[in-house]
Amino acid sequence: MMKIVILDGFTENPGDLSWEGIAKLGELTVYDRTNAADIIPRIGDAEVVFTNKTPITRETLEACPNIRYIGVLATGYNIVDVQAAAEKGITVTNVPAYGTFAVAQAAFALLLEITNRVGHHSDTVFRGKWTQSPDFCYWDHPLMSLHGKTMGLIGFGRIGKAAADIAKAFGMNVIYCTSKEGSLDDVLKNSDVISLHCPLTKENEKLINRDTIAKMKDGVIIINTARGQLIDEQALCDALNSGKVFAVGLDVVSKEPIDAQNPLLKAKNCFITPHIAWAAKESRQKLMDIAVDNLKSFLAGNIKNRVN
């Protein structure tokens, strides 16, 4: 019976989903997490390996010659040496487009927390501040309406387009740029809110930096649910503390889990969630379904979502 190993299944399925679809296809072993030293022995003579963030290097492929298929439980697949896999005839697949609407929703969850401070004001109510208020209402942070403001999207793929639809529903004007169309300068200069929805490349690493921030409107809001390395974090911290950037909402940072020394942890008006924009149960179920279908298709000789 074909051996299947899942190296780091916990983030995809912490217990609220089922691995049954994959288990039906072979002898399945699931590990919640795998340290670097355990990767090779845990793969052993398995023919099928699933990974999310556990790296599979050329060395691993050399040491585990039975591997025929690697399924990445994510859209990004840079944790696999796809060139080495291709040289050895190993198929590598990913799972595209499973979290489009969840990520777009999370971008606006961050934005609405900045504009309305729902969590903060709810906390003040439960601490008794409303009970003690001489007025029927109060707010102790600026409140902001999105209607009529301009959202600039950097990146306009599936998630960017979904974010644009939400922005329009709020009555926002939408402008965008990609590597092939639109003007980055236009987005930087004219946006009240800038939201990042582009893949990370060598060309756009630290795209948000001192120079690009200087081109932005004073008081701009920046949202990033894409990749942390798109931002020069010290430059953004300085811009937040100076007031040039009014606030930022991040679901990603340059090093994850976040380093205790990350300057953004001490920046003003900085909201950070722990890379959970993708993690709605519905999105994870869709990821699971596509991962199962990818493996079934491979076994049937009709490969889907191959990346090498």
Side-chain angles (χ1 to χ4, degrees):
M1 197 174 187
M2 180 176 64
K3 290 186 178 181
I4 306 171
V5 173
I6 299 174
L7 293 173
D8 51 359
F10 185 81
T11 50
E12 158 61 6
N13 179 17
D16 56 352
L17 301 179
S18 171
W19 295 112
E20 182 181 3
I22 294 176
K24 288 179 178 178
L25 301 175
E27 179 186 332
L28 176 64
T29 302
V30 180
Y31 298 100
D32 282 347
R33 303 167 186 86
T34 295
N35 295 322
D38 295 325
I39 295 172
I40 291 172
R42 285 185 173 182
I43 293 175
D45 60 354
E47 297 169 78
V48 173
V49 180
F50 284 94
T51 182
N52 187 323
K53 296 294 183 289
T54 301
I56 299 181
T57 63
R58 183 180 291 273
E59 178 188 7
T60 298
L61 297 177
E62 294 283 354
C64 303
N66 280 14
I67 298 175
R68 297 168 50 209
Y69 175 91
I70 298 170
V72 181
L73 297 170
T75 301
Y77 50 88
N78 59 304
I79 42 83
V80 177
D81 188 331
V82 292
Q83 181 176 344
E87 291 170 8
K88 294 179 177 298
I90 298 168
T91 295
V92 183
T93 66
N94 73 337
V95 182
Y98 67 89
T100 298
F101 301 107
V103 176
Q105 175 180 313
F108 274 83
L110 287 163
L111 178 56
L112 291 171
E113 182 60 27
I114 289 167
T115 60
N116 291 74
R117 299 293 179 97
V118 172
H120 164 76
H121 285 105
S122 176
D123 287 344
T124 68
V125 170
F126 282 93
R127 292 200 304 267
K129 187 170 181 177
W130 199 12
T131 302
Q132 299 162 11
S133 174
D135 305 305
F136 78 95
C137 71
Y138 65 88
W139 57 95
D140 52 14
H141 281 283
L143 303 179
M144 182 186 304
S145 173
L146 294 175
H147 189 275
K149 289 186 168 55
T150 296
M151 170 166 272
L153 302 167
I154 299 179
F156 204 61
R158 293 184 184 94
I159 298 172
K161 289 174 181 174
D165 289 341
I166 299 172
K168 290 173 184 176
F170 276 102
M172 300 183 78
N173 305 310
V174 175
I175 57 177
Y176 70 90
C177 68
T178 71
S179 60
K180 296 182 179 180
E181 62 179 322
S183 165
L184 176 60
D185 275 357
D186 182 41
V187 169
L188 295 174
K189 292 176 181 178
N190 296 308
S191 300
D192 301 295
V193 179
I194 294 175
S195 192
L196 304 180
H197 298 288
C198 53
L200 177 68
T201 66
K202 291 180 180 178
E203 291 72 29
N204 67 14
E205 186 172 0
K206 294 189 178 180
L207 176 68
I208 304 303
N209 54 51
R210 294 187 193 282
D211 292 338
T212 52
I213 290 171
K215 296 179 180 180
M216 297 177 190
K217 287 184 177 183
D218 292 346
V220 68
I221 295 171
I222 298 172
I223 305 294
N224 187 13
T225 54
R227 288 291 182 266
Q229 295 91 336
L230 293 167
I231 292 177
D232 179 331
E233 291 170 336
Q234 186 60 60
L236 182 58
C237 174
D238 294 343
L240 283 164
N241 289 337
S242 73
K244 170 66 178 181
V245 173
F246 173 68
V248 62
L250 306 173
D251 186 56
V252 288
V253 292
S254 60
K255 180 183 176 183
E256 297 172 350
I258 193 168
D259 192 294
Q261 303 306 313
N262 191 306
L264 292 170
L265 289 174
K266 296 182 179 180
K268 296 178 182 177
N269 292 337
C270 186
F271 298 80
I272 304 174
T273 51
H275 204 142
I276 56 173
W278 67 283
K281 184 178 180 181
E282 294 85 351
S283 295
R284 290 184 290 107
Q285 183 62 64
K286 186 175 181 181
L287 189 159
M288 180 79 77
D289 294 343
I290 296 173
V292 172
D293 186 58
N294 282 350
L295 180 54
K296 285 182 177 179
S297 299
F298 166 77
L299 295 174
N302 181 28
I303 300 172
K304 295 180 181 178
N305 297 316
R306 186 170 190 163
V307 296
N308 70 334

